[in-house]
Amino acid sequence: MAKLNTRFHNIKINAKFNTLLILAFLVGIILSGVTLSNVLYQGAQHEISIQAELLMTTMNSLRLYTQDHVNPLLQSQLATAPRFIPEAIPTFSVREVSRYLSENADYKDFYYKDATLNPTNPKDQANDFETELVEKFKLQPELPELTGFRSTENGKKFYTARPFVVKEQRCLECHSYPNIAPKSLVATYGERGFGWKLNDIVATQIVYVPSEEVFNNARRSFFKMMSVVIGIFITVILLINFLLKKVVIVRIRNIANTANAISTGDMSNNFQENSKDEIGLLAIAFERMRASLLIAMDMLNQQQG
């Protein structure tokens, strides 16, 4: 450590200054990078969660519309129609709209599902992952939602899941017992999706939104912004070095060269400085010392003569 300190003290001011400046630059880059990365990551997460919330709200709005407006219009036909009319069921509506949405190239990775443990339509059957979510909601009914990331065949996706609770008696008309359900429903799907009870958690509403592209954009933004920050730091270092050399190093070197010449007996050199800053005051002090030395040498020569 002592040798390192000695070497550091022996190097030139410009090298010392650059060493300290580069260290400060590296610390600044690291801190800036960590801060910027956190900000962009949180921003990406916020954007993804907004997309998921928008999709969930849209599907729930469609569910309410089907339940309040479409279902009453078709209710009288459900009992007498030779075939079941699935358009009267909110779950059918949201599933079909989700399918149409995913057929759009811009939204092919957006997906909504009423993942049910015991569904009437097999298309609503919860997979293993969704079954685990339903079981969590059953164990912790106070949970409003679960969110996270999941790797799928189509890449990493963000999901938002909410418990689906049987809150209305009319839901049990098709899901309590086969003998009170529309005959066309039983004829179409068989004795599936029955045994539901009021206030039971029977499914989870879950939306999947793509996350890889959002995070890729965040990473690209990070590298672009860090390139700008590094470019600014390098420009500042070069500018400071230029000013340091012009304002400090060159002037101090001139003073040192003049002092060396005078020390060897060349009294014709003088300390020329027009500036009144600290280096200028140092040059003036040296000039006064040179003048005093000339006077002393003249007096000594007169005494000897």
Side-chain angles (χ1 to χ4, degrees), residues 143-209:
L143 279 178
E145 69 177 21
L146 292 169
T147 61
F149 293 91
R150 184 189 178 200
S151 297
T152 67
E153 295 178 355
N154 298 323
K156 194 174 183 180
K157 291 186 178 182
F158 177 82
Y159 69 87
T160 295
R162 294 177 183 174
F164 187 93
V165 185
V166 181
K167 295 181 178 180
E168 298 188 26
Q169 187 67 37
R170 58 181 170 178
C171 293
L172 300 180
E173 295 175 3
C174 295
H175 295 286
S176 57
Y177 301 100
N179 61 324
I180 66 173
K183 292 181 180 180
S184 58
L185 182 146
V186 177
T188 302
Y189 298 108
E191 295 188 4
R192 296 173 52 91
F194 295 105
W196 293 15
K197 296 179 181 179
L198 205 61
N199 297 319
D200 274 358
I201 296 176
V202 296
T204 179
Q205 294 178 281
I206 187 166
V207 295
Y208 296 96
V209 296

Side-chain angles (χ1 to χ4, degrees), residues 229-249:
V229 171
I230 292 173
I232 292 174
F233 268 101
I234 292 175
T235 301
V236 169
I237 289 176
L238 294 176
L239 181 61
I240 290 176
N241 269 274
F242 172 76
L243 294 176
L244 179 67
K245 184 176 180 180
K246 184 179 179 65
V247 177
V248 178
I249 302 299

